[in-house]
Amino acid sequence: MLKLPDLSEKTNKVQDYLKARGIHPGIIDYCIKNKYILETDKYHNVVFAGYDENGKMRYANLRGTISGFKGEALGSN
C-alpha cells in the first residue's frame, strides 16, 4: 500500500524549483492540475506520481527542492 507524506495545499516551492530547472511553466501547471506533481507539507519536496491503468496512484518519487534528497514513498510499486 502506497503511503505518501502529508501533502501541502500549495505548490509554490515545487513550481519555483522546477522553473529553475528549466521546465516550461505550462508543463508544470498541467502536471500539477493532473496530480502528476505534488508538494510535501513538511519539507516542500517534489512528489512525482505514477498511476496504473485504472488511475490509482501506485508510485511516488520524492526529490528535495532545497537539498539533495532523493527517495521513494513507502509502498511504491
Side-chain angles (χ1 to χ4, degrees), residues 9-46:
E9 292 182 17
K10 298 179 182 179
T11 56
N12 300 3
K13 300 277 187 194
V14 163
Q15 290 181 41
D16 291 344
Y17 169 77
L18 293 172
K19 286 177 189 173
R21 303 278 302 183
I23 309 298
H24 190 279
I27 294 172
I28 297 168
D29 290 342
Y30 175 85
C31 290
I32 289 172
K33 286 178 186 170
N34 290 285
K35 299 192 180 207
Y36 296 124
I37 295 175
L38 308 158
E39 182 172 324
T40 65
D41 191 39
K42 188 172 182 180
Y43 297 110
H44 302 284
N45 294 324
V46 181

Side-chain angles (χ1 to χ4, degrees), residues 1-5 58-60 62 71-77:
M1 179 176 192
L2 183 63
K3 181 167 172 52
L4 292 175
R58 297 287 185 181
Y59 179 79
L62 286 77
E72 294 181 343
L74 292 174
S76 281
N77 190 6

Side-chain angles (χ1 to χ4, degrees), residues 49-67:
Y51 296 85
D52 68 13
E53 63 278 354
N54 297 314
K56 182 169 179 155
M57 189 185 300
R58 297 287 185 181
Y59 179 79
N61 180 277
L62 286 77
R63 177 86 167 187
T65 59
I66 54 175
S67 73

